[in-house]
Tab-separated table of all heavy atoms in Angstrom:
chain	number	residue	atom	x	y	z
A	911	THR	N	115.230	24.629	137.451
A	911	THR	CA	114.054	25.300	136.883
A	911	THR	C	113.169	24.276	136.177
A	911	THR	O	113.614	23.170	135.838
A	911	THR	CB	114.481	26.415	135.911
A	911	THR	OG1	113.325	27.044	135.368
A	911	THR	CG2	115.315	25.855	134.771
A	912	LEU	N	111.925	24.693	136.004
A	912	LEU	CA	110.956	23.854	135.287
A	912	LEU	C	110.889	24.202	133.807
A	912	LEU	O	110.320	23.446	133.019
A	912	LEU	CB	109.573	24.001	135.918
A	912	LEU	CG	109.426	23.482	137.352
A	912	LEU	CD1	108.064	23.843	137.905
A	912	LEU	CD2	109.639	21.970	137.396
A	913	VAL	N	111.397	25.398	133.454
A	913	VAL	CA	111.299	25.841	132.060
A	913	VAL	C	112.697	26.076	131.518
A	913	VAL	O	113.634	26.420	132.251
A	913	VAL	CB	110.462	27.135	131.934
A	913	VAL	CG1	109.018	26.867	132.303
A	913	VAL	CG2	111.039	28.241	132.799
A	914	SER	N	112.807	25.920	130.196
A	914	SER	CA	114.094	26.085	129.535
A	914	SER	C	114.411	27.560	129.340
A	914	SER	O	113.524	28.379	129.105
A	914	SER	CB	114.075	25.375	128.179
A	914	SER	OG	115.267	25.646	127.461
A	915	SER	N	115.693	27.918	129.422
A	915	SER	CA	116.178	29.270	129.122
A	915	SER	C	117.419	29.119	128.265
A	915	SER	O	118.541	28.998	128.764
A	915	SER	CB	116.488	30.037	130.413
A	915	SER	OG	117.039	31.303	130.115
A	916	GLY	N	117.181	29.104	126.992
A	916	GLY	CA	118.289	28.886	126.075
A	916	GLY	C	118.768	27.447	126.127
A	916	GLY	O	118.077	26.553	126.628
A	917	SER	N	119.940	27.247	125.612
A	917	SER	CA	120.524	25.903	125.627
A	917	SER	C	122.016	26.068	125.864
A	917	SER	O	122.780	26.412	124.953
A	917	SER	CB	120.257	25.180	124.305
A	917	SER	OG	120.828	23.881	124.329
A	918	ASP	N	122.439	25.878	127.096
A	918	ASP	CA	123.819	26.133	127.492
A	918	ASP	C	124.715	25.029	126.924
A	918	ASP	O	124.510	23.836	127.186
A	918	ASP	CB	123.913	26.157	129.024
A	918	ASP	CG	125.173	26.843	129.502
A	918	ASP	OD1	126.179	26.790	128.784
A	918	ASP	OD2	125.128	27.425	130.602
A	919	CYS	N	125.693	25.500	126.147
A	919	CYS	CA	126.601	24.519	125.554
A	919	CYS	C	127.682	24.063	126.538
A	919	CYS	O	128.345	23.044	126.321
A	919	CYS	CB	127.229	25.095	124.287
A	919	CYS	SG	128.084	26.659	124.534
A	920	ASP	N	127.868	24.820	127.621
A	920	ASP	CA	128.834	24.434	128.650
A	920	ASP	C	128.309	24.953	129.974
A	920	ASP	O	128.486	26.141	130.306
A	920	ASP	CB	130.217	25.010	128.340
A	920	ASP	CG	131.262	24.497	129.327
A	920	ASP	OD1	130.894	23.891	130.346
A	920	ASP	OD2	132.466	24.738	129.072
A	921	ASP	N	127.633	24.053	130.754
A	921	ASP	CA	126.993	24.512	131.986
A	921	ASP	C	127.959	24.504	133.165
A	921	ASP	O	127.548	24.657	134.305
A	921	ASP	CB	125.774	23.614	132.295
A	921	ASP	CG	124.773	24.319	133.193
A	921	ASP	OD1	124.691	25.576	133.109
A	921	ASP	OD2	124.090	23.640	133.974
A	922	THR	N	129.234	24.359	132.879
A	922	THR	CA	130.226	24.404	133.956
A	922	THR	C	130.951	25.739	133.993
A	922	THR	O	131.680	26.019	134.935
A	922	THR	CB	131.256	23.283	133.767
A	922	THR	OG1	131.977	23.512	132.544
A	922	THR	CG2	130.580	21.918	133.724
A	923	GLN	N	130.757	26.573	132.931
A	923	GLN	CA	131.419	27.882	132.886
A	923	GLN	C	130.380	28.945	132.578
A	923	GLN	O	129.693	28.879	131.550
A	923	GLN	CB	132.505	27.909	131.799
A	923	GLN	CG	133.628	26.922	132.018
A	923	GLN	CD	134.729	27.120	130.998
A	923	GLN	OE1	135.339	28.191	130.935
A	923	GLN	NE2	134.986	26.074	130.192
A	924	ALA	N	130.312	29.926	133.458
A	924	ALA	CA	129.304	30.981	133.283
A	924	ALA	C	129.607	31.879	132.100
A	924	ALA	O	128.739	32.632	131.656
A	924	ALA	CB	129.216	31.819	134.560
A	925	THR	N	130.810	31.851	131.567
A	925	THR	CA	131.186	32.702	130.435
A	925	THR	C	131.010	32.012	129.103
A	925	THR	O	131.376	32.557	128.066
A	925	THR	CB	132.655	33.145	130.575
A	925	THR	OG1	133.492	31.989	130.649
A	925	THR	CG2	132.838	33.998	131.811
A	926	ARG	N	130.418	30.838	129.128
A	926	ARG	CA	130.190	30.111	127.877
A	926	ARG	C	128.805	29.472	127.931
A	926	ARG	O	128.510	28.740	128.874
A	926	ARG	CB	131.255	29.031	127.661
A	926	ARG	CG	132.669	29.550	127.524
A	926	ARG	CD	133.678	28.424	127.424
A	926	ARG	NE	135.033	28.924	127.315
A	926	ARG	CZ	135.645	29.248	126.188
A	926	ARG	NH1	134.987	29.103	125.048
A	926	ARG	NH2	136.882	29.710	126.189
A	927	TRP	N	128.004	29.801	126.944
A	927	TRP	CA	126.665	29.206	126.936
A	927	TRP	C	126.087	29.029	125.518
A	927	TRP	O	125.143	28.304	125.313
A	927	TRP	CB	125.704	30.057	127.754
A	927	TRP	CG	125.525	31.456	127.206
A	927	TRP	CD1	124.739	31.844	126.186
A	927	TRP	CD2	126.191	32.621	127.662
A	927	TRP	NE1	124.840	33.171	125.961
A	927	TRP	CE2	125.739	33.700	126.873
A	927	TRP	CE3	127.122	32.887	128.680
A	927	TRP	CZ2	126.169	34.990	127.063
A	927	TRP	CZ3	127.552	34.180	128.874
A	927	TRP	CH2	127.087	35.217	128.075
A	928	ALA	N	126.642	29.764	124.532
A	928	ALA	CA	126.034	29.739	123.197
A	928	ALA	C	126.978	29.087	122.196
A	928	ALA	O	128.175	29.386	122.166
A	928	ALA	CB	125.699	31.148	122.746
A	929	LEU	N	126.423	28.231	121.372
A	929	LEU	CA	127.183	27.644	120.277
A	929	LEU	C	127.136	28.590	119.084
A	929	LEU	O	126.051	28.958	118.618
A	929	LEU	CB	126.601	26.285	119.882
A	929	LEU	CG	127.096	25.052	120.654
A	929	LEU	CD1	126.351	23.827	120.180
A	929	LEU	CD2	128.603	24.868	120.504
A	930	VAL	N	128.264	29.047	118.624
A	930	VAL	CA	128.299	29.942	117.467
A	930	VAL	C	129.169	29.298	116.392
A	930	VAL	O	130.144	28.607	116.685
A	930	VAL	CB	128.857	31.336	117.832
A	930	VAL	CG1	127.928	32.045	118.788
A	930	VAL	CG2	130.250	31.232	118.425
A	931	THR	N	128.761	29.556	115.167
A	931	THR	CA	129.549	29.096	114.032
A	931	THR	C	130.552	30.184	113.701
A	931	THR	O	130.174	31.337	113.447
A	931	THR	CB	128.640	28.820	112.817
A	931	THR	OG1	127.681	27.824	113.182
A	931	THR	CG2	129.467	28.344	111.636
A	932	SER	N	131.798	29.905	113.704
A	932	SER	CA	132.844	30.907	113.545
A	932	SER	C	133.775	30.526	112.409
A	932	SER	O	133.839	29.364	111.977
A	932	SER	CB	133.645	31.062	114.842
A	932	SER	OG	132.790	31.345	115.933
A	933	TYR	N	134.505	31.563	111.970
A	933	TYR	CA	135.490	31.393	110.911
A	933	TYR	C	136.755	32.134	111.334
A	933	TYR	O	136.684	33.189	111.964
A	933	TYR	CB	134.973	31.961	109.584
A	933	TYR	CG	133.693	31.318	109.106
A	933	TYR	CD1	132.456	31.791	109.561
A	933	TYR	CD2	133.713	30.254	108.211
A	933	TYR	CE1	131.275	31.205	109.141
A	933	TYR	CE2	132.523	29.663	107.781
A	933	TYR	CZ	131.316	30.151	108.258
A	933	TYR	OH	130.148	29.573	107.834
A	934	VAL	N	137.858	31.610	110.960
A	934	VAL	CA	139.133	32.246	111.294
A	934	VAL	C	139.183	33.631	110.647
A	934	VAL	O	138.993	33.768	109.435
A	934	VAL	CB	140.315	31.378	110.822
A	934	VAL	CG1	141.642	32.105	111.070
A	934	VAL	CG2	140.302	30.035	111.517
A	935	ASP	N	139.427	34.677	111.500
A	935	ASP	CA	139.450	36.071	111.026
A	935	ASP	C	140.817	36.649	111.354
A	935	ASP	O	141.036	37.248	112.410
A	935	ASP	CB	138.341	36.872	111.715
A	935	ASP	CG	138.295	38.315	111.242
A	935	ASP	OD1	138.927	38.620	110.223
A	935	ASP	OD2	137.623	39.123	111.907
A	936	THR	N	141.765	36.475	110.446
A	936	THR	CA	143.149	36.892	110.713
A	936	THR	C	143.325	38.405	110.684
A	936	THR	O	144.206	38.940	111.357
A	936	THR	CB	144.090	36.252	109.675
A	936	THR	OG1	143.645	36.603	108.353
A	936	THR	CG2	144.091	34.738	109.835
A	937	ASP	N	142.497	39.122	109.896
A	937	ASP	CA	142.676	40.581	109.806
A	937	ASP	C	141.737	41.356	110.722
A	937	ASP	O	141.764	42.582	110.756
A	937	ASP	CB	142.515	41.055	108.353
A	937	ASP	CG	141.167	40.658	107.756
A	937	ASP	OD1	140.306	40.160	108.494
A	937	ASP	OD2	140.989	40.837	106.533
A	938	GLY	N	140.877	40.662	111.478
A	938	GLY	CA	140.020	41.325	112.465
A	938	GLY	C	138.970	42.252	111.892
A	938	GLY	O	138.567	43.218	112.550
A	939	ASP	N	138.500	41.986	110.688
A	939	ASP	CA	137.489	42.850	110.089
A	939	ASP	C	136.073	42.336	110.305
A	939	ASP	O	135.105	42.891	109.788
A	939	ASP	CB	137.752	43.036	108.596
A	939	ASP	CG	137.769	41.715	107.824
A	939	ASP	OD1	137.446	40.665	108.415
A	939	ASP	OD2	138.127	41.751	106.621
Side-chain angles (χ1 to χ4, degrees):
T911 180
L912 295 173
V913 294
S914 174
S915 176
S917 180
D918 198 330
C919 56
D920 186 349
D921 202 30
T922 64
Q923 298 186 61
T925 58
R926 298 175 181 273
W927 62 80
L929 273 177
V930 294
T931 301
S932 305
Y933 301 86
V934 175
D935 181 14
T936 56
D937 57 8
D939 58 7

